[in-house]
Coordinates of all heavy atoms in Angstrom, one line a residue:
Q229 N 154.1 96.0 70.0 CA 152.7 95.9 70.4 C 152.5 94.7 71.3 O 151.7 94.7 72.2 CB 151.7 95.8 69.2 CG 151.6 97.1 68.4 CD 152.6 97.2 67.2 OE1 153.8 96.9 67.4 NE2 152.2 97.5 66.1
S230 N 153.1 93.6 70.9 CA 153.0 92.4 71.8 C 153.6 92.7 73.2 O 153.0 92.3 74.2 CB 153.9 91.2 71.2 OG 153.4 90.9 69.9
D231 N 154.7 93.4 73.2 CA 155.2 93.9 74.5 C 154.1 94.7 75.3 O 153.9 94.5 76.5 CB 156.4 94.8 74.3 CG 157.7 94.0 74.0 OD1 157.7 92.8 74.2 OD2 158.7 94.7 73.5
Y232 N 153.5 95.6 74.5 CA 152.5 96.4 75.2 C 151.3 95.6 75.7 O 150.8 95.7 76.8 CB 152.0 97.5 74.2 CG 150.8 98.3 74.8 CD1 151.1 99.4 75.6 CD2 149.5 98.0 74.5 CE1 150.1 100.1 76.2 CE2 148.5 98.7 75.1 CZ 148.8 99.8 75.9 OH 147.8 100.5 76.5
F233 N 150.8 94.7 74.8 CA 149.6 93.8 75.2 C 149.9 93.0 76.5 O 149.1 92.8 77.3 CB 149.2 92.9 74.1 CG 148.7 93.6 72.9 CD1 149.1 93.1 71.6 CD2 147.9 94.7 72.9 CE1 148.7 93.7 70.4 CE2 147.5 95.3 71.8 CZ 147.8 94.9 70.5
E234 N 151.2 92.6 76.6 CA 151.6 91.8 77.8 C 151.9 92.6 79.0 O 152.2 92.0 80.1 CB 152.8 90.9 77.4 CG 152.4 89.7 76.7 CD 153.6 88.9 76.1 OE1 154.7 89.0 76.6 OE2 153.4 88.2 75.1
G235 N 152.1 93.9 78.9 CA 152.5 94.7 80.0 C 154.0 94.6 80.3 O 154.5 94.9 81.4
V236 N 154.7 94.3 79.2 CA 156.2 94.3 79.3 C 156.7 95.7 79.6 O 156.2 96.6 78.9 CB 156.8 93.7 78.1 CG1 158.3 94.0 78.0 CG2 156.6 92.2 78.0
T237 N 157.6 95.9 80.5 CA 158.1 97.2 80.8 C 159.5 97.5 80.2 O 159.8 98.5 79.7 CB 158.2 97.5 82.3 OG1 159.1 96.4 82.9 CG2 156.9 97.4 83.0
H238 N 160.3 96.4 80.2 CA 161.7 96.6 79.6 C 161.9 95.5 78.6 O 161.9 94.3 78.9 CB 162.7 96.5 80.7 CG 162.6 97.6 81.7 ND1 161.7 97.6 82.7 CD2 163.3 98.8 81.7 CE1 161.8 98.8 83.4 NE2 162.7 99.5 82.8
S239 N 162.0 95.9 77.3 CA 162.1 94.9 76.2 C 163.6 94.9 75.8 O 164.0 95.7 75.0 CB 161.2 95.5 75.1 OG 161.2 94.5 74.0
I240 N 164.3 93.9 76.3 CA 165.7 93.9 76.2 C 166.1 93.0 75.0 O 165.7 91.9 74.9 CB 166.4 93.4 77.5 CG1 165.8 94.2 78.7 CG2 167.9 93.5 77.4 CD1 166.1 93.5 80.0
C241 N 166.9 93.6 74.1 CA 167.2 92.8 72.9 C 168.7 93.1 72.5 O 169.4 93.8 73.2 CB 166.3 93.1 71.8 SG 166.2 94.9 71.4
T242 N 169.1 92.7 71.3 CA 170.5 92.9 70.9 C 170.6 94.1 70.0 O 169.7 94.6 69.5 CB 171.0 91.6 70.2 OG1 169.9 91.0 69.5 CG2 171.4 90.6 71.3
L243 N 171.9 94.5 69.8 CA 172.2 95.8 69.2 C 171.7 96.0 67.8 O 171.5 97.1 67.4 CB 173.8 96.0 69.2 CG 174.4 96.3 70.5 CD1 176.0 96.3 70.3 CD2 174.0 97.6 71.1
E244 N 171.5 94.9 67.1 CA 171.0 95.1 65.7 C 169.6 95.8 65.7 O 169.1 96.2 64.6 CB 171.0 93.8 64.9 CG 170.0 92.8 65.3 CD 170.5 91.8 66.3 OE1 171.4 92.2 67.1 OE2 169.9 90.7 66.4
F245 N 168.9 95.8 66.8 CA 167.6 96.4 66.9 C 167.7 97.9 67.3 O 166.6 98.5 67.3 CB 166.7 95.7 67.9 CG 166.4 94.3 67.4 CD1 167.0 93.2 67.9 CD2 165.5 94.1 66.4 CE1 166.7 91.9 67.5 CE2 165.2 92.8 65.9 CZ 165.8 91.7 66.4
V246 N 168.9 98.4 67.5 CA 169.0 99.9 67.8 C 168.3 100.7 66.7 O 167.5 101.6 67.0 CB 170.5 100.3 67.9 CG1 170.6 101.8 67.9 CG2 171.1 99.7 69.2
V247 N 168.6 100.3 65.4 CA 168.0 101.1 64.3 C 166.5 100.9 64.2 O 165.8 101.6 63.5 CB 168.7 100.7 62.9 CG1 170.1 101.3 62.9 CG2 168.7 99.2 62.7
H248 N 166.0 99.8 64.8 CA 164.5 99.6 64.8 C 163.8 100.3 65.9 O 162.6 100.4 65.9 CB 164.2 98.1 64.9 CG 164.7 97.2 63.8 ND1 163.8 96.7 62.9 CD2 165.9 96.8 63.4 CE1 164.5 95.9 62.0 NE2 165.8 96.0 62.3
R249 N 164.5 100.8 66.9 CA 163.9 101.4 68.0 C 162.9 102.5 67.7 O 161.8 102.6 68.3 CB 164.9 101.8 69.1 CG 164.3 102.0 70.5 CD 165.1 102.8 71.5 NE 166.5 102.4 71.5 CZ 167.5 103.2 71.6 NH1 167.3 104.5 71.7 NH2 168.8 102.8 71.5
P250 N 163.3 103.5 66.9 CA 162.3 104.6 66.6 C 161.0 104.0 66.0 O 159.9 104.5 66.4 CB 163.0 105.4 65.5 CG 164.5 105.2 65.8 CD 164.6 103.7 66.2
L251 N 161.1 103.0 65.2 CA 159.8 102.4 64.7 C 159.1 101.6 65.8 O 157.8 101.7 65.8 CB 160.2 101.4 63.5 CG 159.1 101.0 62.6 CD1 158.2 102.1 62.1 CD2 159.6 100.1 61.5
Y252 N 159.8 101.0 66.6 CA 159.2 100.3 67.8 C 158.4 101.3 68.6 O 157.2 101.1 68.9 CB 160.3 99.7 68.7 CG 159.9 99.1 70.0 CD1 159.8 97.7 70.1 CD2 159.7 99.9 71.1 CE1 159.5 97.1 71.3 CE2 159.4 99.3 72.3 CZ 159.3 97.9 72.4 OH 158.9 97.3 73.6
E253 N 159.0 102.5 68.8 CA 158.3 103.5 69.6 C 157.2 104.1 68.8 O 156.1 104.4 69.4 CB 159.4 104.6 70.0 CG 160.3 104.1 71.0 CD 161.5 105.0 71.3 OE1 161.7 106.0 70.6 OE2 162.3 104.6 72.2
Y254 N 157.3 104.3 67.5 CA 156.3 104.8 66.7 C 155.0 104.0 66.8 O 153.9 104.5 67.0 CB 156.8 104.9 65.2 CG 155.8 105.4 64.2 CD1 155.7 106.7 63.9 CD2 154.9 104.5 63.6 CE1 154.7 107.2 63.0 CE2 154.0 104.9 62.6 CZ 153.9 106.3 62.3 OH 153.0 106.7 61.4
F255 N 155.2 102.7 66.6 CA 154.0 101.8 66.6 C 153.4 101.7 68.1 O 152.2 101.7 68.2 CB 154.3 100.4 66.1 CG 154.4 100.4 64.6 CD1 155.5 99.7 64.0 CD2 153.4 100.9 63.8 CE1 155.6 99.7 62.6 CE2 153.5 100.9 62.4 CZ 154.6 100.3 61.8
V256 N 154.3 101.6 69.1 CA 153.8 101.5 70.4 C 153.0 102.7 70.8 O 152.0 102.6 71.5 CB 155.0 101.3 71.4 CG1 154.6 101.6 72.8 CG2 155.4 99.8 71.4
K257 N 153.4 103.9 70.3 CA 152.6 105.1 70.6 C 151.2 105.1 70.2 O 150.4 105.9 70.6 CB 153.4 106.3 70.1 CG 154.5 106.8 70.9 CD 154.8 108.3 70.8 CE 156.1 108.6 71.6 NZ 157.3 108.4 70.8
E258 N 150.9 104.3 69.2 CA 149.5 104.1 68.7 C 148.6 103.5 69.8 O 147.4 103.6 69.8 CB 149.5 103.2 67.5 CG 150.1 103.8 66.2 CD 149.2 105.0 65.7 OE1 148.0 104.9 65.8 OE2 149.9 105.9 65.2
L259 N 149.3 102.9 70.8 CA 148.5 102.2 71.9 C 148.8 102.8 73.3 O 147.9 102.9 74.0 CB 149.0 100.7 71.9 CG 148.7 99.9 70.6 CD1 149.6 98.6 70.7 CD2 147.3 99.5 70.5
A260 N 150.1 103.1 73.5 CA 150.5 103.5 74.9 C 150.2 104.9 75.3 O 150.0 105.8 74.4 CB 151.9 103.1 75.1
D261 N 150.2 105.2 76.6 CA 150.1 106.5 77.1 C 151.2 106.7 78.2 O 152.0 105.8 78.4 CB 148.7 106.9 77.5 CG 148.3 106.0 78.7 OD1 149.1 105.5 79.4 OD2 147.0 105.9 78.9
E262 N 151.1 107.8 78.9 CA 152.1 108.2 79.9 C 152.1 107.1 81.0 O 153.2 106.9 81.6 CB 151.8 109.5 80.5 CG 152.0 110.7 79.6 CD 153.4 110.9 79.2 OE1 154.3 111.1 80.1 OE2 153.7 110.7 78.0
S263 N 151.0 106.5 81.3 CA 150.9 105.7 82.5 C 151.7 104.4 82.4 O 152.2 103.8 83.3 CB 149.5 105.3 82.9 OG 148.9 104.5 81.8
Y264 N 151.8 103.9 81.1 CA 152.6 102.7 80.9 C 153.1 102.6 79.5 O 152.2 102.7 78.5 CB 151.7 101.4 81.2 CG 152.2 100.2 80.5 CD1 153.5 99.8 80.7 CD2 151.4 99.5 79.6 CE1 154.0 98.7 80.0 CE2 151.9 98.5 78.9 CZ 153.2 98.0 79.1 OH 153.7 97.0 78.4
C265 N 154.4 102.5 79.3 CA 154.9 102.3 77.9 C 156.1 101.5 78.0 O 157.1 101.7 78.7 CB 155.3 103.7 77.4 SG 155.8 103.7 75.7
P266 N 156.2 100.4 77.2 CA 157.4 99.5 77.2 C 158.6 100.3 76.6 O 158.4 101.1 75.7 CB 156.9 98.3 76.3 CG 155.8 98.8 75.5 CD 155.1 99.9 76.3
R267 N 159.7 99.9 77.0 CA 161.0 100.5 76.6 C 162.0 99.5 76.1 O 162.2 98.5 76.7 CB 161.5 101.2 77.8 CG 162.9 101.7 77.6 CD 163.4 102.5 78.8 NE 164.6 103.2 78.6 CZ 165.3 103.9 79.5 NH1 164.8 104.0 80.7 NH2 166.5 104.4 79.2
Q268 N 162.5 99.8 74.9 CA 163.5 98.8 74.3 C 164.9 99.2 74.7 O 165.3 100.4 74.6 CB 163.4 98.8 72.8 CG 164.4 97.9 72.1 CD 164.3 97.9 70.6 OE1 163.2 97.7 70.0 NE2 165.4 98.2 69.9
I269 N 165.7 98.2 75.2 CA 167.1 98.5 75.5 C 167.9 97.4 74.8 O 167.5 96.2 74.8 CB 167.3 98.3 77.1 CG1 166.3 99.2 77.8 CG2 168.7 98.6 77.5 CD1 166.2 98.8 79.3
E270 N 169.1 97.8 74.3 CA 169.9 96.8 73.5 C 171.3 96.6 74.1 O 171.9 97.5 74.7 CB 170.1 97.4 72.1 CG 168.9 97.9 71.4 CD 168.5 99.3 71.7 OE1 169.4 100.0 72.4 OE2 167.4 99.8 71.4
F271 N 171.7 95.3 74.0 CA 173.1 94.9 74.5 C 173.7 94.2 73.3 O 173.1 93.8 72.4 CB 173.0 94.1 75.8 CG 172.3 92.8 75.6 CD1 173.0 91.7 75.1 CD2 171.0 92.6 75.9 CE1 172.4 90.4 74.9 CE2 170.3 91.4 75.8 CZ 171.1 90.3 75.3
N272 N 175.0 93.9 73.5 CA 175.8 93.2 72.4 C 175.5 91.7 72.4 O 175.4 91.1 73.4 CB 177.3 93.5 72.6 CG 177.8 92.8 73.9 OD1 177.1 92.8 74.9 ND2 179.0 92.3 73.9
R273 N 175.4 91.2 71.1 CA 175.2 89.8 70.9 C 176.4 89.0 71.4 O 177.5 89.6 71.5 CB 175.1 89.5 69.4 CG 174.0 90.1 68.7 CD 174.1 89.7 67.2 NE 173.7 88.3 66.9 CZ 172.4 88.0 66.8 NH1 171.5 88.9 66.8 NH2 172.1 86.8 66.5
L274 N 176.2 87.8 71.6 CA 177.3 86.9 71.9 C 177.8 86.3 70.5 O 177.0 85.7 69.8 CB 176.9 85.7 72.8 CG 177.9 84.6 73.0 CD1 179.2 85.0 73.5 CD2 177.3 83.5 73.9
N275 N 179.0 86.5 70.2 CA 179.7 85.8 69.1 C 180.8 85.0 69.6 O 181.6 85.5 70.4 CB 180.2 86.8 68.1 CG 179.1 87.7 67.6 OD1 178.1 87.3 66.9 ND2 179.2 89.0 67.8
L276 N 181.0 83.8 69.1 CA 182.0 82.9 69.7 C 183.0 82.5 68.6 O 182.5 82.3 67.4 CB 181.4 81.6 70.2 CG 181.0 81.4 71.6 CD1 180.8 80.0 71.9 CD2 182.1 81.9 72.6
T277 N 184.2 82.4 68.9 CA 185.2 81.9 67.9 C 184.9 80.5 67.5 O 184.4 79.7 68.3 CB 186.7 82.0 68.4 OG1 186.7 81.3 69.7 CG2 187.1 83.5 68.7
Y278 N 185.3 80.1 66.3 CA 185.2 78.8 65.7 C 183.7 78.3 65.7 O 183.5 77.0 65.8 CB 186.1 77.8 66.5 CG 187.5 78.2 66.5 CD1 188.1 78.9 67.5 CD2 188.3 77.9 65.3 CE1 189.4 79.3 67.4 CE2 189.6 78.3 65.2 CZ 190.2 79.0 66.3 OH 191.5 79.4 66.2

Side-chain angles (χ1 to χ4, degrees):
Q229 290 93 308
S230 301
D231 284 344
Y232 177 81
F233 297 138
E234 277 170 26
V236 166
T237 56
H238 296 80
S239 184
I240 308 165
C241 59
T242 35
L243 287 174
E244 70 272 23
F245 292 104
V246 168
V247 287
H248 293 254
R249 197 195 317 139
L251 192 54
Y252 175 100
E253 290 169 353
Y254 177 91
F255 284 131
V256 160
K257 278 209 188 85
E258 291 291 324
L259 300 162
D261 62 23
E262 290 297 295
S263 66
Y264 157 58
C265 185
R267 168 175 186 184
Q268 180 181 303
I269 308 164
E270 311 85 10
F271 65 83
N272 63 327
R273 294 178 80 82
L274 169 60
N275 300 299
L276 265 193
T277 54
Y278 300 99

